[in-house]
């Protein structure tokens, strides 16, 4: 007897055992996909994890349904990495499997309808049912999708079920491939015309068909290049239509054929790498020196010091050794610029992988990496690219390593891509460099502890000085009546000065929309989201109120919903309001906005960033997207409109993050020629973080924050595991969380904090409660996690608690 253990893409802790024949066992390898049935009718794509001869004890192994691959699509290095992720982040291998593979690989079954030939009495069918039955007279099968199309509605299962009940149809589950290769149509001469006589005759034959003759002539002209000829190309060249080519194919003069191509291809020229300046050169040598002893090195380089140029040299060396490179970026906003920069050096050796790519595009990148193709030697991608099937990594670069967007919140696995990348590098025996102008406290601490190598780069390229940063006291400005809308006179002067010199300006406001709160001046009531415990944000352009947590939206009312008065007022401000104020204040200049609302769509970011680069926009207003590594050479002023909103979060990382954000966004100023300016509006100019930002004193910030982390028992000293419970019934969550707190407290005592409700305590009608477990430096991590899992099992054994969502977040943010 032969068996395989497979991973299923569902949140179940264990692998499942299925039986296979001897032939199948010989053919199958770890990392191949098989279709199996699981549960009552569902079919899933499982991944082979183990092949063996031991029957499962607790259940009878079912047979597999189908083998889906000829060779593994996941390699053993990945499986090792997945196991680490599942263990460390306390989730199932199935969760990691689902997160790793492009969804096209995870085929699920589809329900297919067939006509029951024995069914005769059509009169018992209702109208909708008859429509379906009739359609099945014309085609042998229908998918649920097609049924929805026919009926013109989404909810079709009642109709389908009724048809089954009346024995008019039966259904089957079938698996189908989702990935469709992109085929390009080419054209060539039919084999009949492979000799000169035939060709002579051909032109004769066509003497009356002018267009067809032109197509044939066009073909001969193109074929002189000896390259395959695309049908489209020929249409253009000969100025003929598709139907002319078709008629030539029908006459057996031409024939069409198809070649599979990748959807994304780089076309363009490449340049040599830049020559490093002396400081970059030194940093490069130091990094290589640290790599002799350490696998991880932190590069602390101030903004615009040219970290990217240093990375390129490291990358080149690794490519020369024939190894793969992974370049991680926190967000897509960044990739549009860095892709272009790196492509100029490395051309088509780069593949990009991120969430705005379509499923088909992702499958192509996956396959190219799997086959170690030339075009996939450097992968540039956001966090999920750590899951690609690398076989031979030599180097990982984690750019902007401090970024919180490396952490996945939802769904599981809740991994930090930086940390998972360090483990990935280890598995490949590769080196990894973490780079940032504002390293995370964790990484800087690890460097100080000599766990990581450490290299600094303290000069901006071209010796441009870091920007001058000034703090503007808004309270004072209000008192002196020197505010115009949300702008101080000083800020307006700096903007005007920059614009007068034809320089560009970036303004940062970390909220989108027009205003986050609408309030009635008569009764004080604010419109709330019906599904979440937050006020609705006013978006003026569409005159809408929107929830930023669940996307609920409705028209802005004219009067107060509570008292009926006409006295609705807005409080606070977002990017939309700033944009509108600027348009009034600077009517002769072009104002742009970059936030979630303006960057939808695949090329949303690219369009805005491109327009700003091309200087079609003079002032760009935006949210934290603007703080991410963007490189514009003509920006000399960065304004931060409301620093305080970043400082007042009830979160142990809030101050560190506020520092990062402000220093990073400031770093967009004065990158190329002259020193830039940064102006920060605040009610608390003496706040220590603002003081540290204004002097760019990273180490001061680091020491002070570290002190607090020690005092309040937080990372990097203590580790934290956050447990979140969610349910739509408040009482259920509440009794669940109290039970849980007691059991955790019995085991971990004072190191369990909570239970608390988060700032937004209900989202999408789910009430939320948190508990945080702190793990002291000497406490064994693996044992602690096992114990937490045991407590979760007991929790889930309580019938009343079973419906509660139980979320574990290791190293929570
Ligand atoms: P960082 O990533 O450290 O913020 P970048 O790598 O974006 O800095 O470099 C800032 C700017 O300076 C970029 O436009 C880059 O092209 C330019 N630059 C950096 N180093 C060099 C160099 N050695 N030669 C020419 N230009 C450079
Ligand atoms: Zn009112
Ligand atoms: Zn909501």
């Amino acid at each position: 007897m032969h068996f395989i253990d497979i991973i299923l893409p569902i949140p179940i802790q264990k692998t499942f055992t299925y039986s296979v024949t001897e032939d199948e066992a010989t053919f199958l390898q770890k990392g191949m996909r098989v279709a199996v049935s699981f549960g009552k009718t569902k079919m899933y794509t499982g991944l082979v994890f183990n092949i063996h001869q031991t029957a499962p004890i607790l259940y009878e192994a079912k047979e597999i349904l189908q083998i889906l691959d000829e060779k593994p699509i996941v390699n053993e290095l990945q499986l090792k990495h997945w196991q680490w992720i599942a263990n460390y982040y306390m989730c199932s291998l199935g969760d990691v499997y689902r997160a790793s593979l492009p969804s096209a690989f995870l085929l699920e079954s589809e329900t297919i309808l067939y006509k029951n030939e024995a069914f005769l009495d059509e009169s018992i069918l209702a109208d909708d049912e008859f429509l379906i039955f009739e359609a099945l007279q014309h085609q042998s099968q229908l998918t649920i999708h097609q049924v929805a199309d026919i009926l013109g509605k989404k909810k079709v299962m009642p109709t389908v079920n009724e048809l089954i009940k009346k024995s008019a149809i039966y259904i089957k589950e079938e698996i189908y491939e989702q990935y469709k290769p992109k085929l390009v149509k080419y054209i060539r001469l039919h084999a009949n015309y492979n000799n000169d006589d035939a060709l002579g005759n051909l032109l004769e034959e066509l003497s009356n068909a002018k267009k067809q003759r032109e197509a044939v002539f066009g073909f001969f002209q193109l074929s002189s290049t000896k390259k395959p000829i695309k049908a489209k190309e020929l249409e253009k060249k000969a100025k003929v239509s598709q139907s002319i080519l078709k008629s030539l194919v029908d006459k057996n003069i031409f024939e069409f054929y198809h070649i599979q191509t990748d959807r994304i291809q780089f076309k363009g020229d490449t340049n040599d790498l830049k020559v490093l300046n002396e400081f970059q050169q030194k940093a490069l040598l130091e990094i290589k020196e640290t790599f002799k002893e350490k696998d991880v090195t932190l590069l602390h380089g101030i903004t615009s010091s040219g970290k990217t140029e240093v990375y390129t040299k490291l990358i080149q060396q690794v490519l020369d050794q024939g190894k793969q490179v992974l370049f991680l970026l926190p967000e897509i906003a960044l990739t549009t610029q860095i892709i272009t920069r790196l492509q100029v050096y490395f051309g088509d050796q780069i593949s990009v992988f991120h969430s705005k790519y379509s499923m088909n595009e992702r499958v192509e990148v996956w396959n190219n990496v799997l086959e170690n193709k030339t075009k996939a030697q450097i992968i540039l991608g956001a966090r999920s690219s750590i899951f690609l099937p690398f076989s031979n990594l030599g180097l990982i670069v984690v750019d902007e390593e401090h970024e919180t967007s490396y952490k996945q919140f939802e769904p599981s696995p809740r991994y930090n891509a930086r940390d998972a990348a360090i483990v990935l590098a280890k598995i490949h025996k590769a080196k990894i460099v973490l780079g940032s102008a504002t390293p995370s406290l964790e990484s800087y601490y690890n460097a100080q502890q000599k766990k990581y190598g450490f290299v600094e780069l303290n000069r901006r390229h071209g010796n441009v000085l870091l920007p001058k940063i000034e703090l503007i006291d808004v309270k004072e400005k209000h008192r002196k009546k020197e505010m115009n809308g949300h702008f101080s006179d000083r800020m307006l002067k700096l903007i005007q000065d920059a614009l007068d010199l034809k320089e560009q300006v970036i303004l940062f406001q970390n909220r989108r929309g027009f205003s986050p709160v609408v309030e009635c001046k008569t009764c004080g009531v604010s419109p709330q989201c019906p599904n979440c415990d937050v006020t609705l944000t006013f978006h003026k352009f569409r005159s809408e109120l929107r929830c930023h947590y669940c996307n609920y939206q409705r028209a802005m009312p004219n009067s107060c919903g509570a008292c009926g008065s006409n006295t609705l007022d807005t409080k606070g401000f977002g990017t939309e309001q700033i944009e509108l104020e600027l348009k009034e204040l600077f009517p002769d200049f072009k104002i742009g906005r970059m936030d979630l609302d303006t960057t939808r769509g695949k090329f949303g970011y690219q369009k805005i960033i491109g327009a700003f680069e091309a200087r079609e926009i003079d002032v760009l207003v935006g949210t934290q997207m603007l703080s991410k590594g963007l490189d514009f050479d003509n920006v000399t002023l960065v304004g931060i409109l409301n620093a305080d909103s970043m400082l007042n979060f009830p979160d142990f990382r809030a101050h560190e993050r506020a520092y990062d954000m402000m220093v990073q966004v400031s770093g967009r100023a004065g990158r190329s020629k002259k020193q830039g300016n940064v102006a920060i509006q605040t009610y608390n100019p003496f706040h220590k973080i603002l003081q540290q930002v204004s002097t760019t004193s990273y180490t001061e910030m680091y020491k002070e924050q570290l002190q607090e982390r020690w005092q309040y028992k937080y990372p990097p000293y203590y580790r934290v595991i956050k447990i979140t419970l969610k349910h739509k019934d408040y009482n259920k969550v509440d009794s669940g969380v109290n039970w849980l707190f007691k059991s955790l407290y019995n085991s971990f005592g004072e190191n369990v904090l909570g239970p608390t409700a988060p700032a937004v305590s209900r989202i999408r009608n789910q009430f939320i409660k948190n508990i945080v477990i702190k793990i002291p430096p000497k406490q064994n991590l693996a044992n602690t996690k096992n114990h937490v899992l045991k407590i979760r099992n007991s929790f889930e054994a309580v019938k009343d608690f079973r419906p509660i969502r139980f979320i574990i977040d290791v190293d929570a943010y």
Side-chain angles (χ1 to χ4, degrees):
M1 289 287 276
H2 295 267
F3 298 95
I4 56 174
D5 297 337
I6 65 172
I7 309 172
L8 290 170
I10 44 179
I12 288 186
Q13 284 305 323
K14 297 190 184 68
T15 53
F16 269 81
T17 306
Y18 284 79
S19 74
V20 290
T21 65
E22 190 171 345
D23 280 351
E24 288 166 347
T26 325
F27 177 80
L28 283 170
Q29 298 173 49
K30 279 191 198 186
M32 285 186 183
R33 293 169 308 153
V34 291
V36 296
S37 69
F38 183 80
K40 277 206 193 87
T41 54
K42 214 56 183 143
M43 282 208 275
Y44 283 106
T45 311
L47 193 81
V48 180
F49 187 65
N50 238 330
I51 304 166
H52 58 87
Q53 302 196 344
T54 322
I57 302 167
L58 297 174
Y59 54 95
E60 176 125 14
K62 285 194 234 176
E63 286 172 21
I64 62 168
L65 301 171
Q66 219 179 311
I67 296 176
L68 296 168
D69 293 311
E70 296 283 317
K71 42 187 196 208
I73 61 157
V74 169
N75 65 41
E76 301 224 15
L77 296 166
Q78 285 175 283
L79 291 176
K80 220 165 152 187
H81 193 221
W82 291 9
Q83 273 172 291
W84 180 83
I85 290 177
N87 272 329
Y88 188 85
Y89 293 105
M90 302 171 79
C91 64
S92 72
L93 273 175
D95 284 339
V96 189
Y97 169 44
R98 183 177 269 290
S100 299
L101 266 66
S103 57
F105 282 133
L106 294 174
L107 329 164
E108 275 181 24
S109 54
E110 184 166 51
T111 308
I112 310 282
L113 280 64
Y114 297 90
K115 186 168 67 136
N116 180 3
E117 297 296 342
F119 180 80
L120 294 171
D121 188 8
E122 292 173 9
S123 67
I124 64 167
L125 299 179
D127 286 354
D128 274 1
E129 294 159 27
F130 182 75
L131 280 177
I132 302 305
F133 187 76
E134 197 196 359
L136 282 171
Q137 321 267 15
H138 302 296
Q139 61 192 97
S140 62
Q141 58 181 63
L142 287 174
T143 64
I144 294 289
H145 263 304
Q146 290 169 321
V147 172
D149 277 346
I150 293 168
L151 298 183
K153 59 182 181 186
K154 287 227 176 70
K155 209 170 150 201
V156 297
M157 282 323 280
T159 314
V160 171
N161 287 333
E162 201 53 36
L163 281 162
I164 298 172
K165 222 162 76 191
K166 292 176 179 165
S167 300
I169 62 161
Y170 63 97
I171 55 170
K172 268 207 244 170
E173 293 281 306
E174 284 183 14
I175 292 232
Y176 63 102
E177 275 289 343
Q178 291 183 328
Y179 168 67
K180 299 235 177 12
K182 179 176 172 188
L183 297 174
V184 176
K185 191 151 92 179
Y186 286 80
I187 192 159
R188 63 187 166 211
L189 269 183
H190 193 275
N192 294 349
Y193 293 96
N194 272 346
N195 59 67
D196 289 344
D197 284 355
L199 281 178
N201 294 340
L202 169 61
L203 291 173
E204 195 88 331
E205 260 172 63
L206 294 177
S207 53
N208 290 327
K210 184 160 165 280
K211 277 286 167 192
Q212 297 187 3
R213 254 177 91 97
E214 277 168 17
V216 174
F217 274 125
F219 180 85
F220 286 123
Q221 282 173 330
L222 285 174
S223 58
S224 65
T225 63
K226 306 259 183 266
K227 281 194 281 194
I229 298 167
K230 290 181 188 151
K232 277 264 169 312
E233 213 178 334
L234 178 55
E235 285 168 26
K236 233 168 103 187
K237 176 85 188 174
K239 301 201 180 60
V240 295
S241 67
Q242 223 172 345
S243 59
I244 298 287
L245 296 189
K246 174 98 185 1
S247 60
L248 285 163
V249 169
D250 291 342
K251 286 189 181 169
N252 279 339
I253 293 170
F254 281 144
E255 60 189 12
F256 290 132
Y257 63 107
H258 292 86
I259 298 182
Q260 186 176 333
T261 55
D262 280 351
R263 288 171 165 80
I264 306 252
Q265 299 194 56
F266 172 72
K267 301 185 197 74
D269 300 327
T270 55
N271 285 331
D272 290 342
L273 297 190
K274 292 210 165 87
V275 181
L276 294 187
N277 65 40
E278 57 176 308
F279 307 99
Q280 294 165 342
Q281 187 60 36
K282 184 158 166 283
L284 177 66
L285 289 177
E286 285 174 9
I287 293 173
K288 287 198 220 158
E289 198 56 36
T290 59
F291 278 165
K292 288 185 182 153
E293 288 177 13
K294 306 259 176 10
D295 295 327
V296 189
T297 289
L298 174 65
L299 171 61
H300 180 201
I302 61 171
T303 54
S304 203
S305 54
K307 295 184 284 298
T308 318
E309 307 301 332
V310 176
Y311 303 146
T312 57
K313 300 283 175 178
L314 290 168
I315 292 171
Q316 186 60 59
Q317 281 183 348
V318 173
L319 291 182
D320 291 345
Q321 297 163 7
K323 293 191 175 167
Q324 299 165 315
V325 176
L326 170 61
F327 193 119
L328 282 175
L329 290 161
E331 250 169 314
I332 308 155
L334 276 175
T335 55
T336 73
Q337 279 193 330
I338 296 213
I339 296 168
T340 327
R341 271 174 79 178
L342 294 185
Q343 271 176 344
V344 167
Y345 302 140
F346 300 111
D348 53 11
Q349 286 170 289
I350 298 181
S351 287
V352 181
F353 190 77
H354 63 54
S355 61
K356 283 205 175 178
Y357 270 26
S358 73
M359 179 186 77
N360 286 323
E361 289 163 351
R362 291 199 222 189
V363 170
E364 280 162 11
V365 177
W366 183 283
N367 287 335
N368 291 339
V369 175
L370 185 66
E371 288 157 29
N372 198 8
K373 289 226 180 116
T374 314
K375 63 188 297 181
Q377 292 307 298
I378 308 172
I379 296 295
L380 196 60
R383 60 173 182 251
S384 61
S385 43
I386 60 165
F387 293 119
L388 286 167
F390 298 103
S391 49
N392 187 20
L393 269 177
L395 174 72
I396 303 179
V397 176
V398 186
D399 197 16
E400 312 291 348
E401 68 86 29
H402 64 281
E403 272 281 343
T404 49
S405 38
Y406 279 125
K407 176 80 163 107
Q408 162 126 336
F409 292 92
E410 191 68 17
S412 174
R414 299 179 173 80
Y415 62 101
N416 183 317
R418 174 198 61 212
D419 300 339
I422 291 174
V423 176
L424 183 66
K426 196 176 220 158
I427 291 174
H428 282 261
K429 301 190 168 59
K431 300 294 180 187
I432 174 165
V433 49
L434 313 178
S436 176
T438 53
S440 62
L441 291 199
E442 285 85 344
S443 296
Y444 203 84
Y445 179 77
N446 282 329
Q448 298 289 303
Q449 297 292 306
K450 308 263 186 276
K451 226 174 117 184
Y452 298 168
F454 181 63
V455 175
E456 281 182 298
L457 189 48
N458 286 327
R459 296 281 183 108
R460 280 195 150 184
H461 176 65
N463 273 324
V464 184
L465 292 175
L466 277 175
K468 273 188 275 192
I469 303 183
E470 63 179 87
L471 300 172
I472 301 170
D473 185 342
V474 189
K475 211 195 283 165
E476 184 75 6
K477 291 284 176 191
H478 270 296
R479 198 175 56 74
K480 292 194 184 150
K481 307 225 178 317
E482 289 170 348
M483 293 294 286
N484 186 340
H486 294 96
F487 293 91
S488 58
D489 57 349
R490 176 67 185 152
M491 184 74 88
L492 288 177
K493 172 160 193 322
L494 287 168
I495 296 174
Q496 189 67 60
D497 288 351
L499 293 177
D500 288 344
L501 293 171
K502 301 215 169 352
E503 294 164 352
Q504 289 166 293
V505 178
I506 284 180
L507 292 178
F508 174 77
Q509 168 56 13
N510 209 14
R511 271 207 131 117
R512 63 195 169 95
F514 185 85
S515 121
V517 183
V518 173
E519 195 184 80
C520 172
K521 278 201 266 192
T522 309
C523 71
V525 168
S526 297
Q528 302 277 320
C529 175
N531 314 317
C532 312
D533 183 22
V534 284
T535 56
L536 293 167
T537 299
F538 176 45
H539 287 250
K540 187 162 189 161
F541 179 66
R542 314 187 79 175
S543 190
E544 258 173 7
L545 291 173
R546 282 191 218 156
C547 173
H548 287 181
Y549 287 82
C550 74
N551 289 328
Y552 168 88
Q553 54 201 53
R554 65 176 160 102
M556 171 76 172
N558 293 324
S559 55
C560 171
C563 73
S565 314
N566 256 338
T567 49
L568 289 178
D569 193 15
T570 60
K571 275 181 130 181
F573 62 101
T575 45
E576 195 190 12
Q577 185 163 172
I578 295 302
E579 182 193 8
L580 290 173
E581 284 184 20
L582 282 169
K583 280 181 172 161
E584 298 225 327
L585 289 163
F586 300 96
D588 299 334
F589 293 89
K590 185 97 175 50
I591 316 296
R593 169 156 64 94
M594 182 157 123
D595 57 27
L596 256 190
D597 299 315
T598 61
T599 51
R600 290 186 208 281
K602 189 162 174 180
F603 301 107
Y605 291 93
Q606 233 155 299
K607 271 190 216 143
I608 295 176
I609 291 170
F612 196 53
E613 274 174 343
R615 308 192 186 179
E616 289 157 18
I617 294 173
D618 301 301
V619 184
L620 185 59
V621 184
T623 54
Q624 36 87 27
M625 286 175 189
L626 286 177
S627 67
K628 317 216 174 226
L630 294 169
D631 184 30
F632 301 110
D633 60 6
N634 190 42
V635 173
T636 54
L637 172 68
V638 165
I640 297 176
L641 293 163
N642 179 5
D644 309 295
S645 64
M646 281 178 274
L647 294 166
N648 305 326
F649 277 106
D651 169 355
F652 71 90
R653 281 187 231 265
H655 284 177
E656 178 190 0
R657 234 184 276 163
Y659 178 89
D660 292 351
M661 194 110 83
M662 285 189 265
V663 168
Q664 291 288 351
V665 71
S666 303
R668 303 315 113 206
R671 286 173 78 84
S672 74
K673 289 171 293 262
K674 63 176 207 184
Q675 189 182 22
N677 287 304
V678 174
I680 303 179
Q681 296 190 161
T682 172
Y683 285 88
N684 301 289
F686 296 105
H687 194 291
K688 63 185 184 210
I689 287 289
L690 290 176
Q691 290 295 323
Q692 287 154 1
V693 168
S694 71
T695 48
T696 321
S697 309
Y698 177 83
T699 43
E700 203 180 297
M701 183 281 294
Y702 169 75
K703 282 187 193 138
E704 201 165 84
Q705 292 299 314
L706 207 61
Q707 180 72 31
E708 288 186 13
R709 300 286 180 89
W710 172 251
Q711 192 177 346
Y712 298 105
K713 303 185 173 166
Y714 276 114
Y717 301 105
Y718 280 56
R719 287 170 187 270
V720 294
I721 296 178
K722 184 163 101 184
I723 299 182
T724 301
L725 300 188
K726 290 186 182 177
H727 194 267
K728 61 180 191 301
D729 177 353
Y730 178 82
N731 290 326
K732 213 184 243 318
V733 188
D734 199 48
S735 58
V737 85
N738 287 327
W739 184 100
L740 185 65
F741 179 78
K742 265 191 214 122
S743 334
L744 289 167
Y745 191 87
N746 283 339
S747 308
F748 304 113
E750 306 264 290
N751 288 324
V752 186
L753 307 187
T756 52
V760 179
S761 64
R762 184 179 54 115
I763 295 176
R764 293 175 198 276
N765 286 314
Q766 303 273 311
F767 290 93
I768 307 169
K769 291 274 186 175
N770 291 326
I771 292 177
V772 170
I773 306 165
K774 291 183 176 175
I775 307 171
K778 293 218 169 76
Q779 188 172 315
N780 182 301
L781 200 58
N783 290 349
T784 308
K785 287 176 181 172
N786 280 336
H787 199 76
V788 172
L789 288 177
K790 261 193 212 136
I791 292 178
R792 180 175 73 179
N793 284 343
S794 330
F795 179 89
E796 283 173 349
V798 180
K799 189 162 158 276
D800 225 27
F801 296 160
R802 217 166 290 151
I804 300 177
R805 257 198 92 195
F806 193 116
I807 297 168
I808 302 185
D809 191 349
V810 177
D811 297 340
Y813 264 70

